[in-house]
Amino acid sequence: MVHSLFASTDDWDNQLEGTESGWPGFFRILRIYLTHFRGQRSAMMQWMAPAAGTEAEAWETLTAALGLKGVSAGQRWTAPAGVPALSGLVEHVEHGSQRPCNALLRLDKPGPGTAALGAVNYGGPMVTLSFYLYGAQAAETVARETPLWQAWIEERFPMPEPSKSE
């Protein structure tokens, strides 16, 4: 992978570094797809929501809610009650003070697929959830699960109240 950017100042360095740091996660998703789901149709659902506190605190909140706190790669896992159906195998995880905070799960529920979860600083702490579902039922599963996940995210990561100017 080659990136290039021509600019007269160093103002864009952070943008380029941010783009470069995201590629390993996408390559992991591609590896899982090619290894376990090659040639299957796919459908996607994706969210980014603001979180209170720091990026590490956002990760802590997300992993605690999903029952992922302290899991390791290679571990089977099932989300606790109160979370839409979600289970599978932890493929990759970076916890706590490691940056970026993220996890990659190979799913068996809500259907075959991959979930990429993270906490990032994007003008403030944000949590990200991306679900890539595969197979003949992928689109139906996404249609069924999207409102469940939307409600779950809105309950745990509500939009902040707009600041009132005086």
Side-chain angles (χ1 to χ4, degrees), residues 8-84:
S8 57
T9 67
D10 294 337
D11 295 343
W12 289 93
D13 286 355
N14 287 339
Q15 296 296 321
L16 189 57
E17 289 170 10
T19 298
E20 289 173 346
S21 69
W23 281 116
F26 286 107
F27 288 135
R28 287 184 195 103
I29 293 166
L30 179 60
R31 179 187 50 78
I32 291 170
Y33 175 77
L34 293 174
T35 301
H36 301 282
F37 307 107
R38 183 185 297 259
Q40 295 184 32
R41 292 181 172 266
S42 66
M44 181 180 175
M45 41 187 192
Q46 184 173 32
W47 291 271
M48 179 179 268
T54 65
E55 184 178 336
E57 290 167 333
W59 180 245
E60 182 78 15
T61 301
L62 180 63
T63 55
L66 293 174
L68 286 166
K69 191 173 176 181
V71 298
S72 301
Q75 183 177 341
R76 288 221 35 90
W77 147 91
T78 300
V83 177

Side-chain angles (χ1 to χ4, degrees), residues 23 29 31 37 61 95 104 111 118 126 130 132-133 135 142 153:
W23 281 116
I29 293 166
R31 179 187 50 78
F37 307 107
T61 301
H95 285 293
L104 186 59
M126 306 285 278
S130 299
Y132 306 90
L133 300 177
V142 164
I153 290 163

